[in-house]
Amino acid sequence: MSEVVTYSREGNIGVITVNYPPVNALSHAVRSGLIAALEQGQEDSEAKVLLLVCEGRTFIAGADIREFGKPMQKPGLAELVETYENSEKPLVAAIHGTALGGGLEMALGCHYRVALNSAKIGLPEVKLGLLPGAGGTQRLPRLTGAQKALEIITSGEFVGAKDALALGILDVVDDGEDVKAAGLAYAQQIADEGKPVRRVRDLKDKIAADKGSDVFDQFRAVLQKKARGQFSPFKCVDAIEAAFDLPFAEGMKRERELFTECMDSPQRAGQIHSFFAEREVSKVKGLSKDTPVRDVNSVGIIGAGTMGGGIAMNFANVGIPVIIVEMKQEALDKGLGIIRKNYENSAKKGRLTQQQVEDRIALITGSLSYDDFKSVDLVIEAVFENMAVKKEIFAKLDAICKPGTILASNTSTLDVDEIASATRRPEDVVGMHFFSPANVMKLLENVRGSKTSDEVKATVMAVAKKIKKVGVLVGNCHGFVGNRMLHRRGAEAMTLVNEGATPQQVDKVLTDLGYPMGQFAMSDLAGIDVGYRIREERRNAGEQVAPSWMDKLAEQNRLGQKTMAGVYKYEEGSRNPVPDPEVERIIEDFRKEQDIGSREITDQEILERCMYVMVNEAAKILEEGIADRALDIDVVWIYGYGFPAYRGGPMFWADQVGLDVILAAVEKYHGDVGGEQWKPADLLKQLVADGKKFGDL
Ligand code: 3HC
């Protein structure tokens, strides 16, 4: 028998235990061990009922993702689940932690299921570009009916034990904390009552109730909006529908075919890259795992604006008290009022109880004095982008805060070293760049200055985890990783419109690629004045910044959503961008004024110029060591800008397009369009010369 699965007996209960850290994934060793342990249980004449339980932090969390893409060694997962379901002795699964994917499918193959109250179940395969491939699409609907199975499988979201009990997925929820004790007690009850085996595949009621229903087509219509461009959610629906149209064995065959289609799709490769990249970013190059981390039990925030308020909520949400300092009482009251409104809205949507709202608000206090920062562990400055103001603030913080307080700036572009130079403790200064809306977006771009200590770097990465963000540690330069690339894309998009494209054409190319919104819809959200002010500052500083049709929008007070008109126009109460003939006229006038001829621009050119300009910049970012690895850049874009996870991030996407193809285009645009942004990155040239990819770095 393999060491990762053992068989033992307690009284008349045969216990099959999986112990394969960290998450008991169904590797080949676990699968074959499970078969051997079941055989032992069947042969053990003293065992009346068999119990499947796991050691460590969780029940089986799914198939072993690291084995994907390699030839499947027998026994396969579906075969394993079938063998369990066929057991002549009643089988009980006892669940703690998370029973996910193949793990839940194993539990569905067992005849009875008990879970601890804290446990969660789910079929998250869709988030890996897959569908449940070991009977999940055939067995779950037999317990829950079509609608709930569709919701659970196509969302991949976890379901808490109590809800799973109500849905019929679990038989019992145990309030204790000892999963083995809970499993043994329930198995004993089954043995004492002489309950028979009960196979999910034989259940018929829910199938009969929803057979031929139009719920599947309705669901597909919803997915057309929610999961546009994605492959696996639609395949999930097809597989679930097969559970209603076909006998069980044929449904399983159909599930297998659809699973294989997903497995072979490039989206699966992209999703799995994203999954591992998200976990890899926490392992920072050159930062030992043993680096000491400072305690962060209280936080100060400067600025009660949109960013400051959103940042404060992140800490209150995990029980860390926050003091927000503003200059004026009015601004403070307004900021605190918005925080309350945001929480109240979450309560209205049922995401928080009124008590949780009050508890969180109670953790956030307002103040007009920096003196209140005397004893906090971390201060995050979130005022507008002005170096002089930021330096003044950091000098004040340096004088007031206790030794060891981390002084962070939420700057999105400015030089962290220059900010740090205003203090006598540059080793404690760091960038913590949140993305708007800061209480929602999952990315936290932590920016290391040249003097930031390892302890501070490790602490801000730990803080990211604590507040449930994905932290990426990056180097210091104008715009860091995310905004530096975004600025290149923004400038290129603007130029494409100068040359003849329409804003809506550019945006459609980007949303067709899978971004949630296009460049110009995003400008309207952020405010047209933001980019305008940056261009004006650069012009005032004597830089050559070409005029743009977007300057005209700003000058006419078309500032975006906030003035209900920007690149697009907006109806009262709607955030839906509507193309505006007035903007077409402004663009047309601008072209005439600048004597720019307009030409037909293809979608392919838009895609290449918006994406390749970013990839070229990203190669320079890697070359300069601003990002340590290509996957850091992928994670920044997936979690900060909504780059579709199923394409794996811009670097993974570039590897799939082919770096030779991209380099050839970059060289062409360097000739045709010109400019620093199209000067091919040395790293890109080197990789192509060596026949390598970003993923090989
Ligand atoms: N296979 C292999 N490794 C896995 C894994 C899996 N299914 N799930 C997690 N891991 C690894 C992670 O990569 C990480 O490794 P590392 O320490 O070397 O970086 C380690 O386990 C711990 O994972 P997390 O850092 O994510 O730990 P958390 O405690 O935050 O979360 C979890 C635990 C909720 C289980 C989360 O890891 C998770 O969601 N895992 C994926 C679950 C999943 O998608 N299962 C479905 C797989 S597909 C399938 O089953 C197909 C079947 O239908 C045929």
Side-chain angles (χ1 to χ4, degrees), residues 300-302 307 311 378-387 389-391 393-394 397 406-420 428-434 444-448 452 456 460 476 480:
I301 290 172
I302 305 171
M307 274 325 263
I311 296 170
L378 164 70
V379 179
I380 304 173
E381 162 276 312
V383 306
F384 56 95
E385 293 287 78
N386 180 302
M387 182 55 87
V389 173
K390 293 202 191 246
K391 282 171 89 168
I393 289 175
F394 273 73
L397 291 174
I406 296 176
L407 308 181
S409 172
N410 176 50
T411 178
S412 55
T413 49
L414 299 178
D415 183 350
V416 172
D417 283 334
E418 194 179 341
I419 297 175
D428 286 341
V429 178
V430 69
M432 288 179 87
H433 178 207
F434 289 80
L444 179 56
E445 204 180 25
N446 284 323
V447 187
R448 51 172 186 244
T452 309
V456 169
V460 291
N476 183 27
F480 319 124

Side-chain angles (χ1 to χ4, degrees), residues 112-117 161 165 169-174 182 186 189:
Y112 298 93
R113 286 161 292 280
V114 53
L116 296 186
N117 208 350
L165 178 71
I169 302 167
L170 297 174
D171 301 295
V172 179
V173 171
D174 187 289
Y186 186 48
Q189 188 189 328

Side-chain angles (χ1 to χ4, degrees), residues 20-26 57-68 72 77-78 98 100-105 122-125 127-128 130-136 158 255-256 259 263 272 275-276 278-280 282-283 465:
Y20 185 59
V23 296
N24 293 313
L26 290 157
R57 64 204 234 202
T58 181
F59 190 76
I60 300 164
D64 191 335
I65 303 171
R66 291 181 200 273
E67 287 183 359
F68 288 177
M72 172 62 112
L77 198 44
T98 43
L100 302 177
L104 178 58
E105 290 173 303
L123 291 169
E125 285 87 344
K127 294 188 175 171
L128 301 172
L130 290 170
L131 53 85
F158 299 171
E255 180 192 82
R256 176 82 348 217
F259 180 80
M263 200 51 135
I272 287 181
F275 176 85
F276 284 117
E278 178 185 333
R279 281 150 185 85
E280 264 324 285
S282 63
K283 298 163 197 157
K465 215 170 224 167

